[in-house]
Amino acid sequence: MNQENRNMVLFLAIAALILVGWPIVSQSLFPQPKRPPIARVLPGPAPTGPVTSNATAPAVDAVKATRDRAVVLAETPRVAVITPSLKGSINLKGARLDDLVLLRHAETIKKNSPPVRLLSPSGTTHSYFAGFGWSGDGVAAPDKNSVWTADATTLTPGRPVTLSWANPQGLRFQIKIAVDNDYLFTVEQIAGNGGTTPVTLRPYGLISRTGVPTDIDTWVNHVGPIGVFGPGANYDIGYPNLRGEEPGFFDAIGGTTAKAGANYFDAKGGWLGFGDLYWLTALIPDQGAQVHSGFRASGDVFQADYASTPVKIAPGKTASTSSRFFAGAKEVRLIDKYQDGGNIANFDKAIDWGWFRIVEKPIFYYLDFLFRLVSNFGVAIILLTVTIRGLLFPIAQRQFASMAKMKAIQPKMKLLQERYKDDKPRQQQEIMALYKTEGVNPLGGCGPTLLQIPIMYALYKVLLLSTEMRHQPFVLWIRDLAAPDPLTPINLFGLLPFTPPVFIAIGIIPIMLGISMYFQFKLNPAPMDEAQKQVFAIMPWMLMFVMAPFAVGLQLYWITSNVLTILQQRMLYARHPEMLVPATKK
């Protein structure tokens, strides 16, 4: 097998090893930092009387019957929410943010597609909402049935809305809600004691969602409960854990490690919520406050909540606390802006970059820069590929020079192997001496191959996680670079009325990928072993099937890389014509 083919096999082997074995290795070599002490709080029935000051948020509210969303929305008084990025309403019954759509993101690629709906009120299919309130010791605090009054009919950026509610004992509660131009709400909770005795209150916030999202939780990208409860983000808790199910096989090799049941933590600041592939809801308490926060479930209803330290309020006094609520898309620049400018610790961990974030984030920012420059994500991917191949070209030149030297000394190596075939230690010693004499590095041809592995994996993660690439068109029938190629000759490009199975639904772009790999392999000198010839003859078409289900954006990168490699090889073979001489057995 010649050096070029060895490098390709080495690349594929190491790439497979990283994809399959990295979670296991990372758990051993890079263990997660110790979590703060966990306080187990198992879900129970909703409280029927006053809640003690030791309680957290209300128990999970499971509503079994579901009705039409429009009917449910019309049943309660509401405050409209209108921003450049969001549209929806606040439910004055229970003071809940439970109606929100994302104006910058459509459900599908159709022109008349509605915007993505993120929040939906209780009593509807897949209800999803956030709420804020107080628990108290012997205090009648507002609950999900309390109807608040608002000082305005519409919440817009720069015009906050204040909700008010009072109990018969003279306690006045207010929730002042503000919103920016993107996805961040600021919530100030104020409690005033108009009574004659001190009261102890504990402010809380919660997010409740019904059902498991369609996005799949994998070791490549965490989907589900997520939070920061200390030094780093916690990706260990999954929906099966909160349901009380034991961790499965993938949990054992590097996914969820949390125990079944509720998972609560005591920490300072942090944040928590639910993350999908592209969307996120997150409660962000006061970053300087000590909070008790975590997750629990009741059946198919999941809840993230936090409770701050109890506050004692004397008669005639008030107390307030401020928190924030994120509800929107995981847009990288925006998430980073909130982390840095908003002082939200580890908020960028809402996007599961993984251990290769040091490579992935620069690639994303450069790709995003190119996209803003040319206004076409597919063209940006091509330009990114050209850039990467250009940076690797000097290394490729040294690789070919090293391969040429290796080929030039092959007769001498075979002579040594024949001479010392019965003395392997002496054979290796003489071969190493030959390398030193001829100035040959036997690993010199592996540089570009090894460098492409983290780059390829990083680009795969970038294209997988980037909300920015979702529904981005390229040319002709490629209208979503984040999805597989929809056009396949198996059903005559849609003319036949059936949808072929995924494993044979090979699109045009994967076929082009296989062809480009075929010509790349064809350009290499033919190996002398017949078995090797057969392996390299079938490998491009095997990889075509393997890559078919992946995003078109990743396939576009690989095709462009293959084309550039073919051009590069032609130029370098012209400089080193000895590389084209067929290998001989003798």
Side-chain angles (χ1 to χ4, degrees):
M1 184 184 299
N2 59 51
Q3 187 69 24
E4 178 73 13
N5 291 339
R6 285 197 191 96
N7 288 340
M8 178 57 68
V9 173
L10 180 63
F11 170 79
L12 296 173
I14 297 179
L17 182 62
I18 288 178
L19 291 174
V20 177
W22 178 251
I24 304 173
V25 175
S26 64
Q27 289 296 319
S28 302
L29 299 182
F30 308 102
Q32 292 290 323
K34 292 183 178 180
R35 305 293 180 192
I38 299 177
R40 298 291 175 191
V41 180
L42 297 178
T48 56
V51 188
T52 67
S53 58
N54 292 325
T56 59
V60 177
D61 182 17
V63 179
K64 294 183 179 180
T66 58
R67 294 176 295 152
D68 181 77
R69 183 182 297 108
V71 174
V72 175
L73 290 173
E75 288 178 342
T76 55
R78 293 183 169 270
V79 173
V81 177
I82 302 175
T83 81
S85 308
L86 301 171
K87 186 178 181 180
S89 60
I90 301 172
N91 190 351
L92 292 180
K93 183 178 180 180
R96 290 175 171 178
L97 279 159
D98 64 356
D99 171 32
L100 216 57
V101 296
L102 312 182
L103 298 179
R104 295 204 292 252
H105 300 275
E107 290 281 1
T108 67
I109 58 177
K110 295 181 179 179
K111 291 184 178 180
N112 60 347
S113 173
V116 168
R117 171 163 290 279
L118 186 62
L119 301 184
S120 191
S122 177
T124 63
T125 303
H126 302 301
S127 69
Y128 198 175
F129 59 85
F132 299 86
W134 292 261
S135 61
D137 191 3
V139 175
D143 58 21
K144 65 180 182 179
N145 296 313
S146 301
V147 179
W148 297 65
T149 59
D151 65 352
T153 58
T154 305
L155 171 64
T156 60
R159 293 186 178 181
V161 170
T162 300
L163 312 183
S164 303
W165 185 87
N167 71 5
Q169 288 74 40
L171 282 178
R172 301 181 304 274
F173 299 93
Q174 290 184 322
I175 303 177
K176 185 177 181 180
I177 305 175
V179 65
D180 65 6
N181 287 320
D182 296 302
Y183 306 124
L184 193 64
F185 294 83
T186 300
V187 180
E188 184 179 5
Q189 296 171 251
I190 306 168
N193 186 1
T196 58
T197 59
V199 295
T200 300
L201 296 173
R202 190 172 191 177
Y204 68 80
L206 65 85
I207 299 173
S208 174
R209 76 177 301 172
T210 301
V212 176
T214 56
D215 298 333
I216 300 175
D217 182 21
T218 67
W219 63 265
V220 177
N221 179 48
H222 175 68
V223 170
I226 182 175
V228 170
F229 308 103
N234 189 318
Y235 301 118
D236 295 340
I237 305 170
Y239 292 112
N241 300 118
L242 300 184
R243 280 173 167 164
E245 302 170 6
E246 292 300 323
F249 171 74
F250 287 102
D251 301 323
I253 67 169
T256 300
T257 56
K259 295 181 179 179
N263 290 265
Y264 276 79
F265 306 84
D266 292 298
K268 187 176 182 180
W271 58 271
L272 74 162
F274 297 102
D276 297 336
L277 178 59
Y278 298 121
W279 326 120
L280 172 72
T281 57
L283 298 166
I284 308 161
D286 183 340
Q287 295 299 281
Q290 195 73 22
V291 293
H292 180 71
S293 57
F295 305 93
R296 47 183 163 166
S298 176
D300 208 30
V301 181
F302 306 93
Q303 182 169 299
D305 58 61
Y306 77 88
S308 301
T309 304
V311 178
K312 189 173 184 179
I313 308 175
K317 300 295 183 180
T318 61
S320 66
T321 182
S322 181
S323 59
R324 286 168 288 181
F325 172 59
F326 178 94
K330 296 194 290 189
E331 298 166 6
V332 179
R333 290 182 182 272
L334 187 60
I335 293 289
D336 287 350
K337 185 188 78 171
Y338 284 143
Q339 173 179 275
D340 301 332
N343 191 31
I344 306 175
N346 290 312
F347 199 52
D348 68 333
K349 299 291 180 64
I351 302 173
D352 186 8
W353 295 109
W355 292 101
F356 283 94
R357 66 188 299 113
I358 193 173
V359 180
E360 293 162 7
K361 292 198 73 172
I363 286 180
F364 166 80
Y365 272 105
Y366 181 59
L367 184 60
D368 190 53
F369 162 76
L370 293 173
F371 170 62
R372 294 169 186 268
L373 189 66
V374 299
S375 300
N376 186 298
F377 221 107
V379 176
I381 291 173
I382 293 174
L383 294 177
L384 170 70
T385 312
V386 172
T387 303
I388 292 174
R389 298 299 303 186
L391 292 175
L392 294 177
F393 184 72
I395 304 175
Q397 285 183 304
R398 290 195 292 271
Q399 175 192 28
F400 260 72
S402 176
M403 291 164 56
K405 289 182 179 180
M406 283 291 295
K407 189 159 188 175
I409 67 171
Q410 284 298 315
K412 296 181 181 180
M413 286 183 60
K414 290 180 179 180
L415 183 62
L416 292 174
Q417 291 169 352
E418 184 67 25
R419 180 178 298 174
Y420 301 107
K421 62 181 179 181
D422 297 326
D423 189 352
K424 295 298 181 181
R426 179 66 185 278
Q427 181 187 109
Q428 291 298 319
Q429 183 180 357
E430 294 294 333
I431 289 176
M432 294 305 295
L434 177 63
Y435 288 156
K436 186 175 181 180
T437 302
E438 299 290 341
V440 173
N441 179 6
L443 299 179
C446 301
T449 301
L450 295 176
L451 282 175
Q452 282 189 73
I453 293 173
I455 293 173
M456 188 73 175
Y457 180 74
L459 184 67
Y460 163 69
K461 286 291 293 280
V462 167
L463 300 183
L464 172 70
L465 302 176
S466 295
T467 307
E468 290 78 359
M469 196 181 74
R470 179 180 180 267
H471 291 177
Q472 287 292 340
F474 178 38
V475 292
L476 301 176
W477 72 94
I478 305 300
R479 300 177 60 191
D480 187 358
L481 285 164
D485 187 346
L487 201 61
T488 173
I490 303 299
N491 61 2
L492 295 183
F493 310 110
L495 294 177
L496 297 180
F498 81 96
T499 301
V502 175
F503 62 91
I504 63 170
I506 309 300
I508 301 299
I509 299 298
I511 292 174
M512 292 174 61
L513 172 62
I515 294 172
S516 68
M517 294 192 67
Y518 169 79
F519 281 107
Q520 181 185 345
F521 283 9
K522 194 75 173 176
L523 191 60
N524 296 328
M528 61 182 180
D529 186 74
E530 289 299 323
Q532 294 176 19
K533 289 182 181 180
Q534 294 177 7
V535 168
F536 284 102
I538 198 174
M539 187 176 293
W541 315 116
M542 291 178 59
L543 291 174
M544 177 184 72
F545 279 90
V546 170
M547 291 298 297
F550 285 81
V552 173
L554 185 63
Q555 298 169 16
L556 179 62
Y557 166 82
W558 203 338
I559 292 171
T560 307
S561 180
N562 287 344
V563 172
L564 293 175
T565 300
I566 291 171
L567 296 175
Q568 174 183 282
Q569 283 178 315
R570 284 190 172 276
M571 184 180 65
L572 292 175
Y573 280 140
R575 294 184 181 181
H576 304 280
E578 66 275 13
M579 293 294 297
L580 293 174
V581 178
T584 59
K585 295 184 179 182
K586 184 174 179 180

